[in-house]
Amino acid sequence: SFHLVRKVAEGGMATVYEAEQLGPSGFAKRIALKVIHPDLAQRREFLQLFIDEAKLSANLMHGNIVQIYQLGEVNEQYFIAMEYIQGPTLRSVIDRHNELGRPIAATFVASLGSRMCRALDFAHNSVGPDGRRLAVVHRDVSPGNVMITWDGHIKLGDFGIAKARTSIDPASEQHVRMGKKRYMSPEQVLGTVVDARSDVFSLGVVLYELLALSPLFHEDNTALSVEEVVLRPLPDLRSRITDLDPELDEILTLSLQRNPADRATAAQLGTLLDEWIGTQSDRTG
């Protein structure tokens, strides 16, 4: 059984609670419970997304991915029991640094990016019980879906609109553009086929925002975001980010290529970020 402690967050699809999982002899484990909104649970396509998230994430066992424990249902209320993360989202970190007027250190951003790359590389290359690659694409890499624990671990969560080769989703085309438009890749904004390289572009957008403390893209309207993300030239990053190291600029630019074929993979991007961090410690050491 579960004991709800407090509401942690509420989104368009579900509410997340801090809870205790209770067992015999006083056993108690702190977890997070994600409960799908009852009205959405009545709509088969949204319920299927929720179920897909649980099935997909349950087998993504990685230190930089929020762990899923169980999918459950009580009186037609569906919930996912998952790892409880004590710490802020990247959205909170960005907002707080803006309040204070203090930039986030570039080496910290690169280190965070490297760990995000590890999470994405693991998800992108995960295999099913039959040994075949699942070809998982997260589709919603954004500051609200990345958390930092108080002891410094980076956790990617919310695979709520992720897609795998095995996903059963009769209305998949309706969900192509789900996610936050200002973090979408050009191919996702256009509603064309997306693969793992789409997540790399979204991560580049997130890393840019951490360094600039302002979004790379601003439009939420679909037509305007097509112009901004797909058609208009990308802004010069070094003109917007104070003291951006030229090598880090090159790495970011590699993740933000409009053509997916020109982008680094998550593994390649992570390696480049790690190598850059090494050069910084050499200079400061």
Side-chain angles (χ1 to χ4, degrees), residues 10-117:
E10 188 158 9
M13 190 168 167
T15 303
V16 179
Y17 298 92
E18 179 184 346
E20 283 186 326
Q21 184 175 11
L22 305 175
S25 304
F27 174 88
K29 179 180 176 66
R30 190 59 51 101
I31 62 161
L33 271 188
K34 185 175 186 177
V35 183
I36 189 171
H37 296 322
D39 55 327
L40 292 181
Q42 305 300 314
R43 296 171 60 181
R44 197 165 81 89
E45 70 272 22
F46 283 100
L47 181 57
Q48 189 63 54
L49 277 175
F50 195 75
I51 292 168
D52 279 350
E53 174 184 6
K55 287 168 139 181
L56 184 65
S57 306
N59 294 311
L60 294 177
M61 304 275 288
H62 188 276
N64 298 117
I65 294 176
V66 177
Q67 183 57 51
I68 300 294
Y69 301 135
Q70 154 189 13
L71 172 69
E73 182 258 328
V74 178
N75 300 327
E76 297 189 356
Q77 269 206 309
Y78 283 81
F79 65 85
I80 298 173
M82 62 179 75
E83 179 182 8
Y84 177 63
I85 308 297
Q86 296 194 54
T89 64
L90 283 191
R91 170 51 54 217
S92 302
V93 171
I94 291 167
D95 290 348
R96 182 63 176 148
H97 275 264
N98 268 319
E99 281 175 28
L100 297 172
R102 288 170 51 188
I104 302 173
T107 48
F108 173 78
V109 173
S111 177
L112 182 148
S114 165
R115 281 152 182 77
M116 287 287 296
C117 284

Side-chain angles (χ1 to χ4, degrees), residues 154-214:
I154 308 301
K155 300 277 186 174
L156 172 64
D158 203 348
F159 281 75
I161 59 171
K163 285 287 169 289
R165 174 179 52 77
T166 53
S167 290
I168 304 163
D169 186 8
S172 62
E173 290 311 305
Q174 294 177 23
H175 304 131
V176 165
R177 292 188 185 84
M178 281 186 69
K180 298 159 196 74
K181 291 189 181 69
R182 61 182 63 181
Y183 301 101
M184 285 184 180
S185 65
E187 60 270 28
Q188 195 177 3
V189 168
L190 288 171
T192 58
V193 175
V194 303
D195 59 23
R197 296 168 297 188
S198 178
D199 287 341
V200 172
F201 187 94
S202 298
L203 176 56
V205 177
V206 172
L207 296 180
Y208 169 90
E209 186 168 345
L210 286 164
L211 290 165
L213 292 181
S214 78

